[in-house]
Amino acid sequence: AVGERWSFLILRAAFNGLAHFEEFQATLGIARNILSNRLVRLVEHGILQRVPDDTDRRRVAYRLTDKGRALLP
């Protein structure tokens, strides 16, 4: 999952504090369908987790799991 195109850049952005779909999309300039696919794969592999946003329950935040944080060198 980490070796897929864009996944590493998504993880780097998550390490730098980005958590919302719109933030990833605006910062990386990645197509929405590809971003959605990569986020789903990273969640499936336990690297990211989807959590309801504290400020707006309609939004979802992506947070690094322990497994995801372990990828930071």
Side-chain angles (χ1 to χ4, degrees):
V2 177
E4 292 179 341
R5 187 172 179 184
W6 292 103
S7 295
F8 178 75
L9 295 175
I10 293 168
L11 285 176
R12 184 183 68 180
F15 281 122
N16 290 326
L18 298 184
H20 297 100
F21 186 93
E22 298 81 14
E23 294 171 337
F24 288 117
Q25 205 274 323
T27 301
L28 300 174
I30 183 173
R32 295 178 69 81
N33 62 326
I34 295 172
L35 176 58
S36 178
N37 177 274
R38 295 307 184 271
L39 289 171
V40 166
R41 299 267 302 158
L42 291 168
V43 169
E44 285 175 350
H45 286 4
I47 297 168
L48 293 176
Q49 63 180 350
R50 288 174 47 108
V51 295
D53 189 299
D54 295 335
T55 59
D56 184 354
R57 289 292 194 191
R58 294 173 293 177
R59 293 178 71 190
V60 173
Y62 291 91
R63 305 277 184 225
L64 288 163
T65 62
D66 289 338
K67 183 178 179 180
R69 282 189 290 278
L71 295 172
L72 183 65

